[in-house]
Amino acid sequence: LPMYQKEPLCANLICFDLGFDMGANYLEFDYAGRDTNRKVVRLLSILAPIIGNAQGEAQCKLNWEESDATFEFYAIRNHQLTCQRGYIVREAEEAVHNPDNLRMQEEAPTAA
């Protein structure tokens, strides 16, 4: 990015109090913890018109007390912030036949 585009990026990252690293072709930041005010999403929506297209995505895990976690995957495409939601789908419970094996096992085949 040219310097005139990097300055607003840096200013926004500083205003949102996020540690970041920026190079000629990349921008990285980490955020962990609660984001009840959705400041990361707000920041990405501000940056999208400046960045244009980005590789990768921001992954957010939303924990709800009454149900399983849901996920949001944010990307910057065509100068817009996009969001793709994901949900955990649980299958029926199965007995664990071998606790040393982390994967659930199919029923053991019977010898003929």
Side-chain angles (χ1 to χ4, degrees), residues 65-110:
E65 290 181 17
E66 64 277 356
S67 65
D68 289 327
T70 58
F71 300 87
E72 294 176 340
F73 303 91
Y74 292 93
I76 296 176
R77 308 279 186 257
N78 299 316
H79 301 272
Q80 294 181 2
L81 179 63
T82 63
C83 179
Q84 181 181 26
R85 289 179 180 81
Y87 306 91
I88 294 175
V89 177
R90 291 185 180 214
E91 296 179 357
E93 273 187 29
E94 297 177 22
V96 177
H97 299 290
N98 181 357
D100 294 328
N101 186 352
L102 296 178
R103 299 185 71 169
M104 297 289 186
Q105 297 181 355
E106 302 289 327
E107 279 189 42
T110 55

